[in-house]
Amino acid sequence: MDYTTYKESLKDKAQEQLGENVSVYYTEIVKNNVKKEVLALQTKGENITPMIHVDSLLKEYGYTGNIEESIEAVLEIYEERTNALAGLKGFKWEEAKPYVRILLIRLEGNEEYLKDRPYKKVLDLAMIFAVLLNEKEVEVAVHVSWAQTGAWGIDAEELYRTAMDNLRKEEFAITDMASLLSLFPAEMAAELEMGIDVYIFSTKNRIRGARAMLRADMLKTFADEKGCNLFMLPSSVHEVLLICDEKGICAAELKEIVMSVNGDPDVIAAEEVLSDSVYYYDREKEEIRIAGENV
């Protein structure tokens, strides 16, 4: 079955299963700088639409050749997302507050996506906000839109303050990369074995944990312990890598490594790329900037 036939069959079968109360159609979204075709499942009377990435379903279909498994996956995802969104819709602001989190995405290329939601600019990144109803499953992270803040009766500043308060309460970890190299793609591990110490900075579960770079208090403590300023490499949306500024390390060479890894789809999926920049933590000024910029 070719791609076009698969898509149409998937849509028609999903529509049949979900019934006339749900409109099933294809559309394109831009998320984290990547345009993706998704299967949208719009329930009548609802302003939040679960969207399913077609390429992931097609990949599984390629292994099995069984489109019924694709349909079953669509129905399961629809049910999970519907339950999660229904839970969020029923939350009052005071109930939702403990679950509000910050996520970082690339600013450039996401302008259209950012129109519908509150965000703050952080260097060349955008800080967006999500409600994590189950932090072990990124699929149930619901990005906060202007419509949701209106329903809660709050403004962007209150959302930001709440997310920052929660950020300070979250558990983050800085781990010596030498003990975790086996978890990284071989190409990335080889690039980073430069005879220097590299540390991974992320959330405990290492899911969408690049927001760790906003924990200036932990960066300060770590930098003071090491007695150095820090380079931060955004290896993905899930974590950043920390390297002490010593032994003649060059920001331009680190940037080349980051760009090389980001440009290889066999190493990192395009939607998981955070930035081509290298960031720098100055422990004396207690500030983060893009490495190589004039200060």
Side-chain angles (χ1 to χ4, degrees):
M1 188 184 299
D2 62 29
Y3 178 57
T4 301
T5 303
Y6 170 81
K7 278 199 331 175
E8 290 307 308
S9 181
L10 180 68
K11 180 175 74 69
D12 292 344
K13 288 178 179 292
Q15 183 68 76
E16 181 181 347
Q17 291 285 335
L18 291 170
E20 61 182 18
N21 195 46
V22 179
S23 179
V24 181
Y25 60 94
Y26 288 104
T27 187
E28 288 187 334
I29 63 170
V30 177
K31 188 172 183 180
N32 199 30
N33 208 38
V34 178
K35 182 178 286 188
K36 289 282 189 178
E37 186 170 45
V38 294
L39 185 66
L41 311 172
Q42 175 69 60
T43 302
K44 291 180 181 179
E46 297 289 340
N47 58 7
I48 302 176
T49 306
M51 295 184 180
I52 301 169
H53 290 275
V54 181
D55 53 359
S56 61
L57 293 175
L58 183 62
K59 184 177 180 180
E60 290 301 317
Y61 170 75
Y63 293 139
T64 67
N66 186 352
I67 195 169
E68 295 304 322
E69 291 186 6
S70 297
I71 299 300
E72 184 177 341
V74 168
L75 298 178
E76 287 179 358
I77 292 170
Y78 178 74
E79 183 177 2
E80 290 172 4
R81 293 288 290 169
T82 299
N83 291 341
L85 293 171
L88 175 60
K89 185 178 179 181
F91 274 17
K92 296 179 180 179
W93 171 234
E94 290 302 317
E95 297 171 318
K97 284 173 69 172
Y99 305 103
V100 174
R101 296 290 183 271
I102 290 168
L103 300 179
L104 292 176
I105 64 174
R106 188 194 301 242
L107 186 62
E108 183 180 2
N110 280 317
E111 294 87 354
E112 191 67 27
Y113 182 70
L114 293 170
K115 285 181 180 179
D116 298 328
R117 62 201 72 251
Y119 73 94
K120 279 188 176 287
K121 184 177 181 294
V122 181
L123 300 174
D124 59 348
L125 303 174
M127 179 195 301
I128 63 172
F129 307 95
V131 176
L132 301 190
L133 301 180
N134 181 343
E135 294 189 38
K136 293 182 180 179
E137 299 292 340
V138 72
E139 288 79 12
V140 296
V142 182
H143 293 188
V144 178
S145 65
W146 285 119
Q148 187 62 62
T149 59
W152 281 332
I154 63 169
D155 58 18
E157 192 57 34
E158 183 172 357
L159 180 67
Y160 169 73
R161 288 197 305 269
T162 299
M164 289 300 294
D165 285 343
N166 290 340
L167 180 77
R168 287 186 282 269
K169 297 172 186 174
E170 277 189 89
E171 288 189 274
F172 292 88
I174 299 176
T175 310
D176 186 344
M177 188 171 175
S179 64
L180 297 173
L181 276 176
S182 62
L183 301 179
F184 280 74
E187 294 87 344
M188 182 183 289
E191 290 275 19
L192 291 167
E193 285 191 301
M194 301 176 290
I196 58 176
D197 293 330
V198 181
Y199 300 86
I200 299 171
F201 191 19
S202 184
T203 52
K204 287 283 189 174
N205 60 15
R206 293 186 57 217
I207 296 175
R208 299 286 294 195
R211 62 181 175 276
M213 66 182 286
L214 301 175
R215 283 295 301 264
D217 58 328
M218 293 185 68
L219 289 172
K220 172 67 172 171
T221 299
F222 184 73
D224 285 345
E225 288 175 355
K226 295 296 180 181
C228 63
N229 295 333
L230 302 169
F231 288 106
M232 289 191 288
L233 282 64
S235 60
S236 75
V237 296
H238 300 297
E239 69 277 306
V240 294
L241 306 182
L242 305 180
I243 299 174
C244 280
D245 181 9
E246 58 186 9
K247 301 179 182 178
I249 294 174
C250 174
E253 292 178 357
L254 294 178
K255 183 177 176 68
E256 286 182 8
I257 292 173
V258 172
M259 293 181 67
S260 174
V261 170
N262 287 347
D264 188 342
D266 293 329
V267 178
I268 182 171
E271 59 267 29
E272 296 198 338
V273 172
L274 179 58
S275 172
D276 288 334
S277 296
V278 172
Y279 304 97
Y280 192 80
Y281 177 74
D282 188 319
R283 68 189 182 107
E284 296 300 326
K285 296 182 178 180
E286 297 186 26
E287 70 176 18
I288 301 170
R289 61 179 181 266
I290 295 176
E293 287 192 342
N294 294 328
V295 296

